[in-house]
């Protein structure tokens, strides 16, 4: 199908990589690009800037707070009622709050904004028939989930489950997302951020096993980009040490890249074939945060099938929206 007949939806389209991805989709000739932002006002403001930049207006607007289940449902109701047919669902939004904040169901905002609403949107889009038969779902990951960045630790979820929930990994992930674990007694937002991104990679692999043939889902890190608003709530180590250093040396050392290349990663993965699904794409070089992309094969925990299924099941429990509730009732699945 020609891009002119295709529709994309981008969450977090008013800022940073999401804004850039929406611009590139318009510049590539996509017929419709739905800007899904925290409020209609933010989406309308982004639309005005994007029309100005691209000289085109394929843009639609949608309000969604990706940290709230009810808001994700409301957005999906609107998509269904408007008869949208989405070819590219780009689940890019994500926040990392400096201080612990929670959504209305008690889920910490990093986990909530990254996965809660996105899980509901993916499930509902599938169940409502809003996704086209060869739709691509891409969700934002991060190299931080590899666990080798200074100042950020990925929680050892299997150990946490063994210590605190008799080995029940789903219960451990639920407790983790509510900041109920002793290891979280001091809130370190970047630890929760990189752990949330591990849950993203796991959720992606589990969802891929459930999707009907033809529809794919992949996690994609845009790589490190310093020109977005993301680091506004980063910890002191990031803001005062890593980011200033990366601003100077990053481009030379492959530790930070341009926003156009970052957004292009999402679009590139969306153009891959039906067999490329359930993967986590990020910077191929283990010690770099930008440059050529590759499937992340390490650390070994990315392939932890039990973790993958537990991440998915935890999202089902936390949102009340399961695969069987939506897609499972369709005859083709
Ligand atoms: N920049 C990097 O170096 C980097 C590296 C790896 C991965 N990433 C990932 O890339 C994605 C985009 O980040 P960015 O760097 O472009 O940061 P950004 O400029 O801060 O953009 C984040 C976007 O997500 C939206 N968002 C956050 N929470 C939301 C919520 N609850 N409901 C609706 N929208 C919400 C923000 O909306 P508001 O403006 O309303 O807050 C904003 O539009 C994130 O998932 C991030 O984790 C970034």
């Amino acid at each position: 199908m020609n891009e002119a007949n295709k529709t994309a939806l981008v969450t977090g389209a008013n800022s940073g990589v999401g804004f850039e991805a929406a611009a590139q989709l318009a510049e590539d000739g996509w017929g419709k690009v739905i800007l899904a932002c925290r409020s209609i006002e933010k989406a309308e403001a982004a639309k005005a800037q994007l029309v100005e930049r691209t000289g085109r207006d394929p843009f639609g607007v949608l309000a969604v707070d990706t940290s709230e289940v009810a808001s994700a449902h409301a957005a999906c109701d609107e998509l269904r009622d408007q008869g949208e047919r989405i070819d590219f669902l780009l689940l890019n939004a994500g926040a990392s709050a400096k201080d612990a904040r929670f959504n209305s169901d008690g889920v910490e905002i990093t986990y909530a904004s990254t996965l809660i609403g996105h899980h509901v949107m993916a499930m509902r889009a599938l169940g409502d028939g809003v996704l086209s038969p060869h739709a691509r779902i891409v969700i934002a990951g991060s190299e931080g989930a590899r666990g080798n960045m200074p100042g950020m630790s990925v929680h050892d979820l299997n150990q946490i489950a063994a210590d605190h929930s008799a080995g029940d990994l789903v219960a451990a992930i639920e407790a983790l997302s509510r900041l109920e674990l002793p290891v979280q007694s001091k809130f370190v937002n970047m630890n929760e951020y990189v752990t949330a991104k591990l849950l993203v990679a796991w959720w992606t692999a589990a969802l891929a096993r459930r999707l009907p043939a033809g529809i794919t889902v992949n996690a994609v890190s845009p790589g490190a980009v310093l020109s977005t608003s993301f680091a506004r709530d980063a910890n002191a180590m990031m803001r005062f040490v890593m980011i200033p250093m990366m601003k100077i040396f990053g481009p030379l050392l492959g530790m930070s890249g341009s926003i156009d290349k970052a957004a292009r990663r999402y679009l590139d993965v969306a153009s891959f074939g039906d067999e490329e699904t359930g993967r986590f794409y990020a910077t191929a070089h283990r010690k770099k945060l930008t440059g050529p992309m590759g499937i992340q094969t390490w650390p070994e925990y990315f392939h932890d099938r039990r973790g993958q299924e537990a991440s998915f099941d935890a999202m089902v429990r936390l949102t009340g929206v399961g695969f069987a509730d939506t897609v499972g009732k369709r005859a083709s699945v």
Side-chain angles (χ1 to χ4, degrees), residues 145-163:
R146 305 191 295 204
N148 65 344
M149 285 179 69
M152 310 177 187
S153 302
V154 177
H155 291 300
D156 183 343
L157 291 164
N158 283 304
Q159 189 61 52
I160 287 169
D163 292 346

Side-chain angles (χ1 to χ4, degrees), residues 11-19 36-39 42 63-68 71 91-96 109 112-114 118 139-144 193 197 220-232 238 246 255-256 259 262 265-266 289:
T11 65
N14 61 297
S15 176
V17 190
F19 179 90
C37 304
R38 205 186 287 266
S39 66
K42 284 195 174 192
V64 62
D65 180 338
T66 62
S67 66
E68 293 288 347
S71 177
L91 306 174
N92 156 80
S96 171
I109 222 70
S113 63
T114 301
H118 286 157
I139 184 163
S142 167
E143 280 82 3
Y193 172 69
K197 293 300 191 184
V220 178
S221 172
V225 201
L226 302 178
S227 57
T228 73
S229 303
F230 200 78
R232 64 190 157 215
M238 275 294 284
M246 287 209 293
M255 298 306 278
S256 67
I259 197 159
R265 283 186 175 189
Y266 291 149
L289 301 176

Side-chain angles (χ1 to χ4, degrees), residues 276-295:
E276 296 300 323
T277 188
R279 322 255 202 235
F280 170 32
Y281 290 92
T283 305
H285 193 295
R286 291 183 180 212
K287 293 187 176 160
K288 294 190 178 181
L289 301 176
T290 187
M293 217 175 25
I295 297 167

Side-chain angles (χ1 to χ4, degrees), residues 196-215:
K197 293 300 191 184
L198 169 60
L199 295 183
V200 162
W202 277 352
W203 175 89
T204 298
L207 175 56
R209 286 193 279 275
R210 291 161 169 80
L211 288 175
I215 299 181

Side-chain angles (χ1 to χ4, degrees), residues 247-271:
K247 278 192 171 151
I248 300 167
F249 302 113
L252 296 172
L253 301 175
M255 298 306 278
S256 67
S258 65
I259 197 159
D260 55 320
K261 287 189 177 149
R264 186 53 67 181
R265 283 186 175 189
Y266 291 149
L267 275 61
D268 284 349
V269 173
S271 72

